[in-house]
Every structure is written in structure tokens, then in C-alpha cells.
Amino acid sequence: MTNAFRCLAQAPLQHDALSVPDRPPRLHRVFERYDPPLYFTTFNTHRRRKLLANASVQNELLRFAQEGQLRGIGIGRYVIMPDHIHLFVRGNLDFSLKQWVRMMKRALSKTILAAPPHWQQGFFDHLIRHSESYAAKWEYVRQNPVRARLVTRSDEWPWQGEIVRLEA
């Protein structure tokens, strides 16, 4: 099933309206390009313990992101708060967000000195559908340290960045 979906997603349909009966002539344009989904994802520490906003967690996130790029997974903008992480991620067509978050939590746990459990079960995700939605979500995420009164301006927060540029 994955290969059939991959084929549909990566290649434009080669049919024209004359060769396929009862098909509107412009429908092939819908399938000319398919971008894998872009997710806004948040996951929290267990009991909202303040374990995350530090250099070792950020370095591990960057390392994990670099490994993911080799597998077609890109982390875009992110903010590491003391007790949760917001980020944007896009994977290839085989991408499983649930499995990826589980792997990321496991990788980040290696840098956390406190005793486990480190993570709240599950995570929050939102499928980004429009560039306006991406911009609105990023503005919310970017201002999170200010709303939490950790800094006065969002650009002062050291535990944020953009690893790869992702478009909605």
C-alpha cells in the first residue's frame, strides 16, 4: 500500500482527459504535486517537571534532527521550554509521527539527569494546512518564553531555533 501511495504522491498522473472517461480535464493538476504533511507538535515532561531548557537537551535535539534529515525527516522551527517542547516537523511519506515522537523522547531522555519518568504520555499535534496557520502557530510558539516571563523579548530565549526551512 505504501508503494502505491508513494507512486501517486511523487509522480503526476500521465492521463489526459481524452484517455480517461468521466474525468474532469483539470483533475490531474490536483495530483501533480503532493507535499507530505507538516505538523505542529508539543510534548510535555512528566508532571511538568522543569527538565528541558538547557544546552544538553538542545544539543541532543539538534543531533537527533541531523540524523532524521538522512531519513527524510525535517525539524523546522522549535522552542524548548523548561517543561515542554514545541516544534514543526515534516517527514517523508512513510513518516509515523507517533513513532518519531517516541524516538525523540527516548533520545532526549539520555541527556536528562533526573530520574525517570521524564515524559507525559502522548503528545499534541496539529496538521498545518496553510502558510497563515504556520505563521500564526510560529508566532504563538516564539512568544511562549515571554508569556511565561522567562525573558522580556522572544529573541532573548536561547533554547529555540530553526533547523531546516519548512514551508506549509
Side-chain angles (χ1 to χ4, degrees), residues 126-144:
H126 174 76
L127 179 64
I128 302 296
R129 292 184 176 87
H130 304 289
S131 59
E132 301 84 42
S133 178
Y134 183 44
K137 288 286 185 201
W138 172 240
E139 185 58 25
Y140 168 79
V141 169
R142 193 174 72 81
Q143 293 299 327
N144 211 358

Side-chain angles (χ1 to χ4, degrees), residues 32-104:
E32 283 180 352
R33 184 166 180 267
Y34 177 83
D35 287 326
L38 172 60
Y39 295 101
F40 168 64
T41 306
T42 301
F43 45 99
N44 301 317
T45 58
H46 182 70
R47 296 188 178 165
R48 303 298 293 252
R49 292 190 299 168
K50 295 176 179 6
L51 305 173
L52 303 176
N54 61 64
S56 58
V57 169
Q58 185 172 37
N59 289 338
E60 181 58 25
L61 178 103
L62 296 173
R63 188 204 62 74
F64 186 83
Q66 287 173 342
E67 282 186 9
Q69 287 179 27
L70 300 174
R71 296 186 311 271
I73 301 166
I75 297 176
R77 294 171 173 164
Y78 69 91
V79 173
I80 302 171
M81 296 294 289
D83 61 355
H84 64 282
I85 296 175
H86 295 292
L87 58 82
F88 295 87
V89 62
R90 172 176 278 146
N92 56 30
L93 294 176
D94 297 334
F95 180 65
S96 166
L97 183 61
K98 183 177 180 179
Q99 181 179 355
W100 181 83
V101 169
R102 187 174 67 241
M103 290 171 49
M104 174 175 262

